[in-house]
Amino acid sequence: MAFDNDRNRVLLSLRERPDGADNPSLIEALGLSEAMVKRHLVYCVDYGLATWTRNRTSTLAVITTRGRDYLARQGL
């Protein structure tokens, strides 16, 4: 259950940042480890809940419409 709650927290954090968020800001805002943030982002990308652009200089995650719908169905 904690895994789902943390994933929802990642998505909520992305929803609050319409221009997207990078890993360090998510780690700081959520108090999760870098590995956990990456794990949740990979899950979200795999299910179309977020996009995550990773390149050598930055990482940027943005919630998708499907991710917003998912949160709405969760009552969040």
Side-chain angles (χ1 to χ4, degrees):
M1 188 65 154
F3 187 81
D4 290 341
N5 289 337
D6 287 343
R7 181 182 58 237
N8 288 344
R9 289 177 52 216
V10 169
L11 282 172
L12 287 168
S13 187
L14 291 176
R15 185 177 69 184
E16 293 171 0
R17 299 171 180 160
D19 294 331
D22 60 3
N23 283 12
S25 64
L26 289 173
I27 292 165
E28 182 180 331
L30 301 171
L32 297 173
S33 69
E34 181 178 2
M36 286 303 290
V37 169
K38 285 182 179 180
R39 184 175 180 184
H40 292 302
L41 286 174
V42 167
Y43 177 93
C44 290
V45 169
D46 286 349
Y47 286 91
L49 304 176
T51 60
W52 188 25
T53 305
R54 296 171 280 190
N55 60 39
R56 291 183 186 178
T57 58
S58 74
T59 59
L60 185 66
V62 179
I63 193 168
T64 62
T65 302
R66 186 173 181 174
R68 291 179 189 281
D69 291 343
Y70 169 82
L71 288 176
R73 286 190 309 272
Q74 298 294 316
L76 302 173

